[in-house]
Amino acid sequence: MRDMVILISLDGTVCRSMARKLRAEHIYCKILPADATAGEVLGQDALGVLLAGGSKGEAAHIPHLNELLSCGLPVMAMGDAALSACLALGGSLGPRAEEPGVVSVHFENDEKLFAGVEDSERYLPACRTMQITWGGAMPIAVTDGGVLGFRDAEKPVWALAFQAERNDLCGTQLLLNFCHGICGCTLWWSNQAFVERAREEIERLSGGGNALCALSGGVDSGVCALLGNMALGHRLHCIFVDTGLMRKDEAAQVMAFYRDQIGLNVREIDAKEAFLTALKGKMNPREKETVIFGLLRDILNREAARLSDVTLLIQGTNFSDTLSAAEFPMTLPSSEARLIEPVRELFKDEIRRVGEELGLPPSMTLRQPFPGSGLAMRILAEVTPERLSILREADAIFRREIEESGQNKRLWQYFASLAELPFSEGGMVVIIRAIQAADGAAAMPARLPSDLLERVSQAIREALPQVVRVLYDLTPSQNYGQVEWK
């Protein structure tokens, strides 16, 4: 695929924001890590490169910067990456501003890059100007304090020492001008284009054989299963393992939709007893994860071995999974089989929109993030049938109250966990949690109305006499990995 740009990720949050802006403008982009070489970039057969730097006011570490700047493709360095490009090309940097502030920026000397872009004020957390001391370069973005952007005359390199801010129309226009006006990308990316491309790729890689897809109930695997069904029909074999660790009625809902309503070729494996037995005596969250993923892998591989002529494994890896190096519990059924990850380059919100395009109902597309180890992660004790039953009901009560009050529209996640009082009298404690997401990084506790919290507490204690306390978790999380109790 040639009609795209490459984003080199030097700051994950900034890079993801740029990617979302570009895809919203129908420009396809692919993200590569900071240590990507020019050879890897050219191997993608892209039309241009964006270096997505942060805003610390310090030159970003880019291992292969010189070869990227000399690769022959148009390159635009933004944020701290612009400072790195300035130094690499022979320039120097001015002093770093001691305090964040707003500066007025004037754009000039590049009609293509600044088409439709007006001079504007920009907030810079750490303003740092650049000294263009090598021949042939010209300033293209200036402020009273000095140069914030330049264009090199000998190489197709542009640099801007600021970000495309979150609600920045001019910043989005800058990105679009670079990708469309300078690199020559066409505006082809859309949900429909993605679906058609994925369907064709699945059909091609299957080679006329059968394909496997593990259904978890989440939107990632659900979208992959529907794409596989579009391409292969009943040559797609889906496997859904009921671990007994899902939320209330969730397993039945998965089968009712995918098998009964859609007509997917899906086999349900009842493994509730096997998982309870394997978890007996396990208290530590990481130990629970190890046991659950190991057993799930064994079950899926055993079921896959029963099928013949499997040439393709369809896996629901998303972009966030690639950052966390998440392991998928299923291995290739044979040495001849191939792997395809249709949604690997997509963010969760993009996958949801593709799901809507494919006809997934809101109950599937808006399903909250859920630990791979299920409710076992949210029981802060040994997993037993009684504790699972209590937690399912408490979680359902809390989620119902949140949704009926309309609070769910502003929340990223809301759920219940369960703990046991350490005293001789015993009793269970339900911990409820509701969080709002901040640009893909921090998870902040939501300020829920006190009357809602009182209703939830009363409803849980009336329905579940084993519960002696209901607590609300107000702990902020620096990243999504800290949301769960582990």
Side-chain angles (χ1 to χ4, degrees), residues 138-180:
M138 65 178 68
I140 59 174
V142 295
T143 183
D144 290 342
V147 175
L148 286 178
F150 68 84
R151 175 184 176 183
D152 190 78
E154 297 182 359
K155 300 174 180 176
V157 173
W158 290 257
L160 297 170
F162 54 82
Q163 304 293 349
E165 297 168 17
R166 187 170 186 178
N167 297 312
D168 180 5
L169 297 179
C170 285
T172 300
Q173 188 64 46
L174 278 170
L175 295 175
L176 184 59
N177 288 348
F178 174 74
C179 297
H180 181 53

Side-chain angles (χ1 to χ4, degrees), residues 30-77:
K30 186 171 185 177
I31 298 175
L32 294 183
D35 60 356
T37 66
E40 290 170 333
V41 169
L42 294 171
Q44 299 293 328
D45 203 24
L47 294 177
V49 181
L50 275 162
L51 304 179
S55 54
K56 298 178 180 178
E58 301 290 344
H61 176 60
I62 312 174
H64 304 285
L65 177 59
N66 287 325
E67 61 179 84
L68 288 171
L69 296 177
S70 303
C71 71
L73 294 176
V75 176
M76 185 159 76

Side-chain angles (χ1 to χ4, degrees), residues 223-260:
V223 165
C224 288
L226 291 184
L227 290 171
N229 188 53
M230 286 177 62
L232 307 175
H234 270 56
R235 286 195 286 127
L236 172 70
H237 298 265
C238 295
I239 302 173
F240 172 68
V241 180
D242 184 356
T243 63
L245 304 174
M246 299 183 76
R247 289 168 287 203
K248 185 175 181 179
D249 300 329
E250 210 163 29
Q253 290 167 1
V254 169
M255 293 304 293
F257 178 74
Y258 288 106
R259 183 188 60 193
D260 302 337

